[in-house]
Amino acid sequence: MRTFSGQLLRAQRARCGLSAAQLASQVGKSVWSVWSWEQGRAQPPIPVADAVADALGVPLDALLADNRQAVSV
């Protein structure tokens, strides 16, 4: 299952040269929200995650990580 990744968000935001406050302003959310997403304490709703991806100039897929765990038999 793929889920929103705070680590990928932080990396993409840094790549774009945006501060958390700048990104928050662009998507109409608080800087605390951005920090919570980056720390993995919260996940943005899909429409917000899509807006974040747009603000960073990347597809939403670039902010998703595969968190499946190997299943041994």
Side-chain angles (χ1 to χ4, degrees), residues 5-65:
S5 169
Q7 290 179 326
L8 292 175
L9 169 59
R10 189 177 315 112
Q12 289 292 346
R13 182 175 60 75
R15 182 189 60 80
C16 290
L18 291 175
S19 69
Q22 290 169 318
L23 178 59
S25 177
Q26 287 187 16
V27 297
K29 296 295 177 183
S30 71
V31 69
W32 303 112
S33 293
V34 173
W35 285 337
S36 292
W37 303 332
E38 289 185 353
Q39 294 301 314
R41 295 181 180 173
Q43 290 197 347
I46 292 172
V48 176
D50 194 44
V52 167
D54 286 345
L56 296 172
V58 298
L60 180 56
D61 191 57
L63 301 177
L64 303 179

